Amino acid sequence: MRDRRFQSRSLSRIKSQKVNWLLRPFIPSGFITTVAGDGEVGKTTMIYDILARITTGEPMPTFGGEPQAEPVKGSVVIFCKEDHPGLMIKPRMRAAGADTKKVHLIGIDHSNDKNEFDVITRLDTTLGEVERLIRDLGDVAAILIDPITDFAGELNLYREDQVREFLQPIAQLAARYGIAVINVLHLIKDTRKKPRQRILGSVGLVNVSRSVLLVGSGNGTGRRFLMMEKANLWHEKKAVAFAMSNHAGQPIVEWDTEWEDVDTEEVLAGKSVHVTKVQQAVFIIQNWLAEGARPAREVDHLAQKARFHLNTFKAAKKEIGVISEKRDDGWWWALPQEHKQDEADNEMPLKRERLH
């Protein structure tokens, strides 16, 4: 019989490992990430954008000049009882650009009717079967549980011992297969509490997660913020902004590319009037073009002078509606109202740039 006595092992004999990121530095692969926010703030739409990129292998957004990470391509699994698969989940994933053949629900198929599929209602007693299906799929890179409180069965998620009983097997599954598990939680309404104290359920829901993210909306700015509340696997807490727009009647996400310096408490309390980097770039471009069209080749110098990423200026250009025009000496940028005047003054309209 093999000797089962305890033994010691020095760290020198343990292989160092690096963290693999689904979305650096917010969502690590192989661990649980919790995403919390008020209703209608865009947290699920933001997550769908990330999941859609996995299904096609499209690169993840990068921030603050960070190098582009190797794209992750594979399948995703969604657990959600609040949203109808055909009416909400599929249209929103398609709007986000997903390959829907790579988006899977798990449940019971009662018939050949495409609309007759009972999505799984709990994970506390079914995780073994779920793992078998994940193993059969073979390429699952992310699992979304939205919200995690809907899938605890008889367990009480306000009791830390039962939270750990529920989440530890899920954390082990994530580690075994290198899957990013994303749990969604809502916030309680009491804005007097600290952000972490506002997350619904036991503190254990936060403790088991290696990354805890909060999503909030800037007061009057129209932008949302993805903010790190807990960062076990990164050296500092970061925040970025994103905007919401409409595609085929469905909400989609447009990411900003700069780090944002925000007060998490003020954002969640609806008090933040923070001006994002894109909005600052809007002001700069408007001033830059106030006296007339300027050569597009000067934009890079302008962005460097302002210490912004060039993509931030391109996002600001889109927000303003700046017109790109082809002239003899290259492309020029002009404010929309100025361009209308230019067209009125010239018989032949200028050639429009396709993408710049």
Side-chain angles (χ1 to χ4, degrees):
M1 181 180 292
R2 185 180 176 184
D3 190 349
R4 301 294 296 174
R5 291 179 299 174
F6 288 126
Q7 299 178 5
S8 67
R9 176 177 292 186
S10 69
L11 282 178
S12 64
R13 295 181 55 205
I14 295 176
K15 184 179 179 180
S16 297
Q17 295 178 292
K18 69 173 185 177
V19 178
N20 293 317
W21 293 96
L22 187 63
L23 177 66
R24 184 190 295 125
F26 298 101
I27 304 176
S29 296
F31 298 92
I32 293 177
T33 295
T34 289
V35 179
D38 289 322
E40 307 297 325
V41 78
K43 54 186 180 295
T44 298
T45 303
M46 180 272 297
I47 296 168
Y48 279 6
D49 178 81
I50 301 302
L51 299 183
R53 292 168 187 264
I54 296 170
T55 66
T56 61
E58 181 184 349
M60 294 292 171
T62 57
F63 313 104
E66 287 277 337
Q68 183 72 61
E70 187 71 25
V72 176
K73 186 173 183 180
S75 294
V76 300
V77 175
I78 295 177
F79 295 99
C80 180
K81 293 192 290 185
E82 292 184 352
D83 296 338
H84 189 281
L87 292 175
M88 295 188 69
I89 297 177
K90 184 174 181 178
R92 292 175 71 180
M93 287 297 294
R94 289 184 66 183
D99 176 357
T100 55
K101 295 189 296 295
K102 290 288 189 178
V103 183
H104 300 274
L105 309 177
I106 293 179
I108 299 173
D109 197 351
H110 288 291
S111 69
N112 291 326
D113 188 334
K114 291 183 177 180
N115 294 318
E116 291 293 328
F117 187 80
D118 290 343
V119 177
I120 199 170
T121 60
R122 60 193 299 175
L123 286 169
D124 58 325
T125 58
T126 61
L127 199 59
E129 183 67 5
V130 168
E131 181 171 357
R132 180 188 67 79
L133 292 170
I134 288 171
R135 193 165 53 242
D136 289 346
L137 288 171
D139 67 343
V140 175
I143 296 173
L144 170 62
I145 311 174
D146 183 12
I148 186 70
T149 48
D150 276 0
F151 295 90
E154 303 302 320
L155 296 176
N156 183 346
L157 295 190
Y158 284 91
R159 289 185 51 181
E160 186 163 356
D161 60 330
Q162 295 192 24
V163 167
R164 291 186 177 277
E165 179 185 343
F166 180 43
L167 288 187
Q168 286 294 357
I170 296 175
Q172 291 165 2
L173 181 147
R176 239 183 338 265
Y177 298 96
I179 295 172
V181 174
I182 305 169
N183 293 338
V184 173
L185 283 168
H186 300 304
L187 298 178
I188 63 173
K189 299 298 183 183
D190 190 352
T191 58
R192 296 170 299 177
K193 292 183 178 295
K194 295 291 185 182
R196 190 174 297 196
Q197 296 171 332
R198 291 187 59 197
I199 297 175
L200 193 66
S202 164
V203 68
L205 290 164
V206 171
N207 292 342
V208 175
S209 302
R210 297 299 90 189
S211 176
V212 176
L213 310 175
L214 298 170
V215 180
S217 179
N219 183 25
T221 67
R223 273 186 161 72
R224 277 74 168 175
F225 297 98
L226 177 63
M227 305 167 287
M228 299 172 76
E229 169 60 21
K230 177 181 177 181
N232 285 159
L233 304 174
W234 195 255
H235 55 278
E236 59 181 327
K237 295 180 181 179
K238 291 288 192 178
V240 293
F242 62 93
M244 302 279 284
S245 61
N246 184 290
H247 177 73
Q250 299 294 332
I252 60 171
V253 165
E254 296 179 352
W255 293 96
D256 290 359
T257 59
E258 305 285 352
W259 301 121
E260 298 289 345
D261 184 14
V262 297
D263 186 311
T264 304
E265 290 187 48
E266 288 195 355
V267 170
L268 296 182
K271 299 177 182 178
S272 174
V273 291
H274 176 81
V275 178
T276 67
K277 299 294 176 58
V278 166
Q279 290 164 334
Q280 293 177 46
V282 164
F283 302 144
I284 293 171
I285 291 173
Q286 286 176 329
N287 290 332
W288 182 58
L289 297 176
E291 295 182 2
R294 302 285 292 269
R297 62 179 178 272
E298 296 179 7
V299 176
D300 187 43
H301 174 71
L302 187 69
Q304 290 182 28
K305 185 178 179 181
R307 298 185 179 180
F308 289 168
H309 195 282
L310 182 58
N311 286 342
T312 301
F313 272 69
K314 290 183 177 180
K317 171 194 172 188
K318 180 178 179 181
E319 186 156 313
I320 300 168
V322 167
I323 305 299
S324 293
E325 302 174 335
K326 180 68 172 177
R327 299 185 178 181
D328 292 340
D329 58 348
W331 289 99
W332 286 59
W333 282 17
L335 293 175
Q337 60 269 26
E338 179 193 343
H339 176 264
K340 290 178 182 178
Q341 184 62 46
D342 284 346
E343 285 195 341
D345 293 340
N346 293 279
E347 292 182 6
M348 294 294 292
L350 295 170
K351 180 181 177 183
R352 295 292 179 83
E353 177 188 18
R354 186 174 184 84
L355 179 64
H356 189 77

